[in-house]
């Protein structure tokens, strides 16, 4: 079957789709293609997740509009099913790879999951299948890692016996389905014909630009996008530290700077988490890792923000006549993102570990993350500091007067600038915040 024939099958929704990895990316992608009329096979290595999906229940928590309902719909319709067995992909015409691509402690890519997926897929690969890597990868990974592994495992030749491309995902927890539909995508194919076939596929689910490109461009665009955001967040965080030291208010400074055309200072905060931004900048700079300066500096600034929050806690306790050793500190929020259950690279983990090192007793609350989804006031009772780490909607309307009455030491550290400083101080709270000078 030629690419022309495959494209015809895709356009007629007759192509069988496989999705490897049914997490935050793979599951919504699989469900969306199934709703679009494709027969979709999902492969995952976790038995509990596979069983849950086949029962029509979403393993993804947090506020995720429409996903649970969509999953139940396509499972009931029989257009999507999950399995532990790669063998089922032997009948797939198109396979999307959506596995995690983390970095190690030396900031080097760890492609163990991607490599395993390539080997397992190669062993059952159908002739003339199209493979698309949606995972975020370092520039050059398709050419140096993915292509050789699949060729070796399958005994087939790329561009002749199978086709290969990269179309990095562009989704955020809390907006998975809407991002899939409305965010533009880069369709990086090994040949122009492969890119056009990829565009024909994604046109079934994406109502935004689908831009053809080569492999490396697709890899660069996604990693550059997240590195750019990371650098901008780092500027905001460093500006917030300057405002604290200078006697200013970051939010007011930001407001006035952003009145100038072309300026868009982002929000500062208690840290940057998630699966993408903490690692994608390191993937981008891999080809020049010894000479890169700006992007590693931005990573260092953002990684240090949870530790700065701990410094604010220690200072506030000291001013109140208490030592951090033996103090009870309640962290409000453990996910990395508001209204999500995603705890990957959570800044709260960094803060909690540092507090443990200093001898503090740490209590954690998060309305979206088990086992921390208990009564918030129970978690706050008799604590010496309440520390807002995540801007969950549940925290926006906490009663500051009740907060004052329930804390043993009335300290509030606001890592996301959610509280009104005047209202907090009027209630008798000792209020400190990222980017706000002490008064």
């Amino acid at each position: 079957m030629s690419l022309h024939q495959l494209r015809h099958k895709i356009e007629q929704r007759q192509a069988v789709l496989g999705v490897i990895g049914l997490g935050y990316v793979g599951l919504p992608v699989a469900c969306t293609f199934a709703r679009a009329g494709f027969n979709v096979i999902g492969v995952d290595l976790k038995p509990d997740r596979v069983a849950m999906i086949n029962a029509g229940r979403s393993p993804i928590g947090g506020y995720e509009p429409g996903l649970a309902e969509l999953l139940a719909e396509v499972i009931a319709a029989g257009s999507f099913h999950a399995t532990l067995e790669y063998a089922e992909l032997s009948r797939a015409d198109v396979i999307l790879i959506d596995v995690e691509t983390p970095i190690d402690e030396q900031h080097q890519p760890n492609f163990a999951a991607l490599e395993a997926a390539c080997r397992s897929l190669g062993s059952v690969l159908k002739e003339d299948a199209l493979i698309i890597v949606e995972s975020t990868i370092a520039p050059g990974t398709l050419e140096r890692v993915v292509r050789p592994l699949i060729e070796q495992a399958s005994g087939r030749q790329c561009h002749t016996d199978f086709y290969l491309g990269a179309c990095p995902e562009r989704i955020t927890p809390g907006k998975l389905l809407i991002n899939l539909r409305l965010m533009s995508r880069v369709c990086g194919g090994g040949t122009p014909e492969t890119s056009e076939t990829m565009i024909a596929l994604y046109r079934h689910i994406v109502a935004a630009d689908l831009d053809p490109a080569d492999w490396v461009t697709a890899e660069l665009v996604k990693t550059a996008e997240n590195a750019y955001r990371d650098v901008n967040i780092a500027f905001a965080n460093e500006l917030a530290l300057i405002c604290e030291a200078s006697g200013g208010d970051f939010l007011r400074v930001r407001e006035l700077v952003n009145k100038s055309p072309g300026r868009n200072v982002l929000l500062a905060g208690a840290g940057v988490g998630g699966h993408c931004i903490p690692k994608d900048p390191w993937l981008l700079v891999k080809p020049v890792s010894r000479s890169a300066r700006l992007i590693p500096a931005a990573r260092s600034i953002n990684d240090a923000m949870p530790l700065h929050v701990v410094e604010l806690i220690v200072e506030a306790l000291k001013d109140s006549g208490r030592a951090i050793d033996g103090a009870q500190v309640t962290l409000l929020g453990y996910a990395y993102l508001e209204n999500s259950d995603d705890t990957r690279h959570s800044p709260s983990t960094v803060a909690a570990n540092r507090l443990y090192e200093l001898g503090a007793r740490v209590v954690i609350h998060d309305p979206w993350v088990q086992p921390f989804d208990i009564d918030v006031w129970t978690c706050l009772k008799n604590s010496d500091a309440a520390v807002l780490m995540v801007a969950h909607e549940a925290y926006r309307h906490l009663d500051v007067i009740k907060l004052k009455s329930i804390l043993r030491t009335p300290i509030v550290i606001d890592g996301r600038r959610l509280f009104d400083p005047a209202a907090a101080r009027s209630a008798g709270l000792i209020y400190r915040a990222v980017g706000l000078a002490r008064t």
Side-chain angles (χ1 to χ4, degrees):
M1 179 174 62
S2 66
L3 265 179
H4 176 75
Q5 291 171 315
L6 176 58
R7 181 169 174 176
H8 178 74
K9 288 187 72 174
I10 289 171
E11 290 172 345
Q12 298 301 312
R13 297 179 175 85
Q14 296 171 351
V16 176
L17 267 59
V19 178
I20 300 175
L22 298 176
Y24 286 91
V25 178
L27 182 61
V29 166
C31 291
T32 302
F33 272 116
R35 178 175 57 186
F38 290 90
N39 179 8
V40 182
I41 305 163
V43 175
D44 199 277
L45 299 180
K46 297 180 178 179
D48 291 348
R49 179 180 293 175
V50 168
M52 196 171 181
I53 290 171
N54 285 334
R57 295 183 291 115
S58 175
I60 296 175
Y63 177 68
E64 208 53 73
L67 180 59
E69 294 82 1
L70 176 58
L71 173 61
E73 173 190 327
V74 295
I75 289 292
S79 54
F80 169 51
H81 78 277
T83 178
L84 298 167
E85 304 299 329
Y86 270 84
E88 291 202 39
L89 296 180
S90 62
R91 59 190 182 90
D93 300 295
V94 180
I95 303 96
L96 311 180
I97 299 179
D98 292 302
V99 298
E100 289 194 340
T101 52
I103 55 173
D104 61 22
E105 293 181 356
Q106 285 72 46
H107 307 138
Q108 295 300 306
N110 177 353
F111 290 145
L114 178 63
E115 292 168 353
C118 289
R119 292 190 187 98
S120 297
L121 173 60
S123 68
V124 301
L125 186 65
K126 178 181 181 180
E127 186 174 3
D128 293 327
L130 169 60
I131 303 165
I132 303 173
V133 178
E134 294 194 317
S135 304
T136 304
I137 49 182
T141 302
L142 248 67
E143 184 63 45
R144 293 193 295 267
V145 178
V146 176
R147 175 180 177 171
L149 284 173
I150 294 176
E151 287 184 334
Q152 181 181 21
S154 67
R156 305 183 188 278
Q157 291 298 309
C158 188
H159 311 316
T160 302
D161 304 315
F162 72 90
Y163 309 98
L164 182 62
C167 186
E169 53 84 10
R170 299 185 67 190
I171 58 178
T172 303
K175 302 177 181 178
L176 296 179
L177 294 180
I178 194 168
N179 283 168
L180 270 176
R181 186 169 65 88
L182 298 181
M183 295 289 284
S184 65
R185 303 287 289 268
V186 180
C187 297
T191 66
E193 293 78 15
T194 303
S195 293
E196 292 302 323
T197 304
M198 293 166 64
I199 289 172
L201 173 71
Y202 284 102
R203 183 54 64 206
H204 288 286
I205 66 168
V206 176
D209 289 344
L210 294 169
D211 296 301
D214 55 64
W215 290 345
V216 174
T217 298
E219 293 167 332
L220 282 166
V221 167
K222 176 58 190 296
T223 49
E225 173 187 339
N226 282 337
Y228 178 79
R229 182 166 180 80
D230 197 40
V231 169
N232 279 269
I233 294 171
F235 175 82
N237 282 332
E238 188 150 274
L239 178 58
L241 300 180
I242 293 168
C243 289
E244 284 182 32
S246 303
D249 182 347
F250 167 78
L251 289 184
R252 180 60 172 160
V253 172
R254 173 180 180 267
E255 175 190 3
L256 297 178
V257 168
N258 286 351
K259 285 192 171 184
S260 182
R263 308 298 188 268
N264 183 27
V265 178
L266 302 180
L267 288 169
V272 178
H275 181 59
C276 295
I277 292 183
K279 74 170 178 68
D280 290 358
W282 295 116
L283 297 179
L284 176 64
V285 302
K286 186 180 184 300
V288 294
S289 55
R290 293 185 178 182
S291 59
R293 297 289 181 271
L294 175 64
I295 290 172
R299 281 279 73 238
S300 178
I301 291 168
N302 291 337
D303 280 346
M305 290 308 292
L307 301 178
H308 176 65
V309 170
V310 173
E311 291 173 356
L312 293 178
I313 299 168
V314 172
E315 291 172 4
L317 284 168
K318 183 178 179 181
D319 290 348
S320 301
R322 280 192 173 274
I324 186 67
D325 188 7
Q328 178 170 306
V329 177
T330 297
L331 299 182
L332 297 175
Y334 197 69
Y336 89 89
L337 183 69
E338 60 267 22
N339 305 323
S340 168
D341 71 337
D342 193 343
T343 61
R344 291 176 292 180
H345 297 283
S346 168
S348 296
T349 302
V350 178
N353 288 340
R354 180 57 181 154
L355 288 166
Y356 288 132
E357 290 174 358
L358 296 174
R361 178 171 180 262
V362 180
V363 179
I364 297 172
H365 178 269
D366 194 301
W368 295 105
V369 179
Q370 295 180 347
F372 309 125
D373 54 341
I374 59 176
D375 179 63
V376 65
W377 298 108
T378 300
C379 293
L380 289 164
K381 188 174 182 180
N382 294 324
S383 280
D384 297 300
V387 185
L388 185 79
M389 295 294 294
V390 186
H392 287 315
E393 188 65 29
Y395 299 145
R396 290 186 178 274
H397 305 293
L398 284 178
D399 187 331
V400 291
I401 295 176
K402 184 174 181 178
L403 197 56
K404 165 64 169 63
S405 69
I406 208 166
L407 291 170
R408 180 167 58 191
T409 308
I411 294 173
V412 170
I413 308 296
D414 192 344
R416 300 295 175 184
R417 300 300 298 269
L418 219 60
F419 295 107
D420 178 357
R425 288 167 176 155
S426 177
L429 292 167
I430 300 167
Y431 179 82
R432 305 284 171 82
V434 170
L436 182 65
R438 293 170 55 183
T439 58

